[in-house]
Amino acid sequence: MATSPASSSSYPALTYSDALTLASRGHALAAVDARLLLQHVTGATIAQIVSYPGRQLGPIDRMRFESLVARRAAGEPIAYLLGEREFYSRPFVVTPAVLIPRPETEGLVDAALARLPVDCMAGLVDLGTGSGCVGITLALERPQSRVLAIDASVDAIGVARRNATALQCANIDFVIGDWLQGIDGHRLAMIVGNPPYISADDAHLGQGDLRFEPRAALTPGDDALSAVREIILQAPAALAAGGWLILEHGHEQGPIVRQLLAGSGFTDVFSDRDLAGHERITGGRLPD
Ligand code: GLN
């Protein structure tokens, strides 16, 4: 960008290498975060940043970079600062209105896809869709299915719609709603969801990225299982015979979620572990 001598002397340019040093030494940012923010501001690739350490940021890019570095140093999640997070190898727009897609939630997609034939033409529901990452991924991986993605947050549905458009996903609909209320009688083949499952008094809510994420996406209140319980009670009326309900849950909640499913008449109850080895995904199906 061309800059006038006056503006560059009052706000001197910074080289790529100075910028990375400022972020990592000056603000204690992880090197990877510093580089991602620099790429984001300049539009340069990693290769360009490494190959041209002496290239300069203009004054505006410098201000934008310094502001993002300060926000990251104050704890804001890198995904919100970049406005994007990859999920199942696709980029998803994220804003503070939605939970940041996590690797363990890819396990929810894996568990769902393992139970849906490639040519599945059935109706599926994604509860608490947030960014839409689970519902949109299922819709794209099973293009003949029809996905209904539900969220209580108007803003989240806005983000999810944006993602569906950007990813050219046409076989998905979005509704604002309270879990499965009003969805009975749909005879769905599968319901998946990543509901809030952290107790309101859990210290984790005050740490790291979670401090900046929507509270309602993380905790249903004092009883960590209240959303899971409600979904398991509502699901049989919305599912077809043989239909699956598969939920993500907290790392110690596997046994109780299995018990709740069995108590609601689900069979073939299973749990899958996350990359850390914790039970994270539990599901079951209604009898045929
Ligand atoms: N897996 C998230 C976490 O523990 C929580 C997501 C959720 O509550 N559904 O950070």
Side-chain angles (χ1 to χ4, degrees), residues 79-163:
Y80 290 154
L81 297 178
L82 301 174
E84 190 179 290
R85 174 55 53 90
E86 191 178 285
F87 183 82
Y88 230 79
S89 303
R90 296 184 182 95
F92 282 83
V93 169
V94 292
T95 76
V98 301
L99 196 75
I100 299 165
R102 290 163 164 66
E104 58 265 33
T105 305
E106 294 180 332
L108 177 62
V109 172
D110 286 334
L113 293 178
R115 291 164 179 83
L116 294 170
V118 180
D119 59 355
C120 160
M121 296 175 69
L124 319 173
V125 159
D126 174 26
L127 291 176
T129 196
S131 64
C133 63
V134 172
I136 292 169
T137 303
L138 291 182
L140 291 171
E141 298 291 330
R142 294 293 179 267
Q144 297 183 64
S145 70
R146 190 86 209 170
V147 176
L148 181 63
I150 303 175
D151 204 290
S153 156
V154 181
D155 292 341
I157 290 288
V159 174
R161 275 188 201 283
R162 246 179 97 182
N163 279 315

Side-chain angles (χ1 to χ4, degrees), residues 99 102 104 194-198 210 213 217-219 248 280:
L99 196 75
R102 290 163 164 66
E104 58 265 33
N194 176 18
Y197 53 68
I198 301 174
L210 276 65
E213 294 184 291
L218 292 165
T219 176
E248 180 177 324
R280 182 64 66 181

Side-chain angles (χ1 to χ4, degrees), residues 10 22 35 175 201 217 288:
S10 60
L22 170 89
R35 210 178 54 223
V175 295
D201 61 10
D288 289 318

